[in-house]
Amino acid sequence: MKHIGKIILSMAFCTCLLCGCGNQSGSNDGINKEHISESETTSSKKNTFYPSGTTEKERFYLNNAASDFIPFEVSFDKNYSNLACKLYELKDGKWNNLEQVNIHLNGDTFWFLVSRYLTNAEIRYKNVNPKSSYMELENGMSFQSVEPSFGAHGVMMYSDMTRETEVESRKEFPVIANIISKNIDNSLTVDIDIFDHPENIDQKENEAYYVLTFTFF
């Protein structure tokens, strides 16, 4: 039944992305979530990873079929066979690799759905191959759930994403960045660039930072 549910969600993902795709607000499990807003992004560049532009209707379907996911896409001028996805947590001013999942790729154009919030990170993907049916969808990959040391109840979660990244073989780049905080601070934000400059992060008590990265090869 779980497998059938995933297929149905994946088909919904495929249907909405045939036209375009995500944004939602809300909270659950005692977590207040401050959402970022995606611009209507389009790009015809090869080897560029970027958020997919979406319409209001497509966002509705995406948010109901796959809550708190952000759609991305990329088209290469050569085939990649593997994607390494790593989840990091900031510890003592350095990024600690919590887990890595590997996705086997076949082709040069891909669609992705990536969790906006990384405490329950998941990646769904599709190889957009004109020789195959659009209903032939690959399975998603999930990371183990993570929770900051101060717990996940009554916290604020902030998220940022890459806007446009030029992909190079074996070059790691951040896709999603999160900060989770129990501190009441309306000025608190997170920037995707924190992955490259962890030394600039002023991490306070009851704050946790997470980053999800991709490496194509």
Side-chain angles (χ1 to χ4, degrees):
M1 198 66 182
K2 191 181 213 177
H3 179 65
I4 294 173
K6 279 196 172 182
I7 292 176
I8 292 173
L9 288 178
S10 296
M11 289 178 68
F13 163 45
C14 176
T15 301
C16 69
L17 279 184
L18 283 174
C19 310
C21 293
N23 197 352
Q24 167 186 353
S25 38
S27 63
N28 64 50
D29 298 330
I31 298 176
N32 295 315
K33 297 178 179 179
E34 291 291 333
H35 288 261
I36 55 176
S37 59
E38 296 87 9
S39 58
E40 302 290 335
T41 307
T42 58
S43 175
S44 58
K45 297 179 182 177
K46 288 287 187 179
N47 308 312
T48 301
F49 184 91
Y50 61 95
S52 302
T54 61
T55 66
E56 183 178 353
K57 181 178 180 180
E58 291 157 357
R59 282 193 288 270
F60 171 79
Y61 283 115
L62 177 64
N63 291 336
N64 283 276
S67 178
D68 280 341
F69 278 76
I70 301 175
F72 294 93
E73 57 187 280
V74 64
S75 182
F76 297 113
D77 56 12
K78 66 176 184 179
N79 286 359
Y80 282 91
S81 58
N82 291 285
L83 170 62
C85 311
K86 295 182 180 181
L87 179 62
Y88 292 92
E89 181 179 11
L90 187 69
K91 288 289 187 184
D92 301 320
K94 296 180 180 180
W95 292 114
N96 176 38
N97 184 9
L98 299 177
E99 188 178 357
Q100 175 176 330
V101 298
N102 298 310
I103 296 175
H104 177 69
L105 302 176
N106 180 23
D108 58 15
T109 301
F110 303 94
W111 292 339
F112 295 92
L113 285 178
V114 183
S115 298
R116 184 190 306 271
Y117 297 103
L118 302 177
T119 50
N120 292 285
E122 184 177 352
I123 300 164
R124 301 179 186 179
Y125 59 95
K126 174 174 173 54
N127 171 21
V128 187
N129 184 346
K131 295 182 180 180
S132 65
S133 167
Y134 277 102
M135 295 303 167
E136 295 176 4
L137 299 176
E138 290 80 357
N139 292 324
M141 303 291 288
S142 298
F143 290 84
Q144 293 184 10
S145 298
V146 296
E147 183 176 307
S149 59
F150 48 84
H153 183 75
V155 300
M156 299 296 294
M157 301 181 69
Y158 302 83
S159 181
D160 194 23
M161 65 179 180
T162 182
R163 267 39 178 203
E164 187 174 280
T165 298
E166 185 175 345
V167 178
E168 299 178 25
S169 180
R170 300 188 179 277
K171 183 177 180 181
E172 186 176 24
F173 65 91
V175 177
I176 301 289
N178 284 180
I179 178 174
I180 302 176
S181 176
K182 267 196 171 181
N183 303 320
I184 301 175
D185 184 353
N186 294 331
S187 65
L188 194 61
T189 60
V190 64
D191 192 289
I192 194 69
D193 292 335
I194 62 172
F195 180 70
D196 295 320
H197 303 284
E199 69 280 1
N200 294 337
I201 300 174
D202 182 20
Q203 186 175 16
K204 297 179 175 60
E205 187 178 0
N206 292 334
E207 286 182 357
Y209 289 80
Y210 299 94
V211 170
L212 176 69
T213 68
F214 278 10
T215 306
F216 289 91
F217 58 99

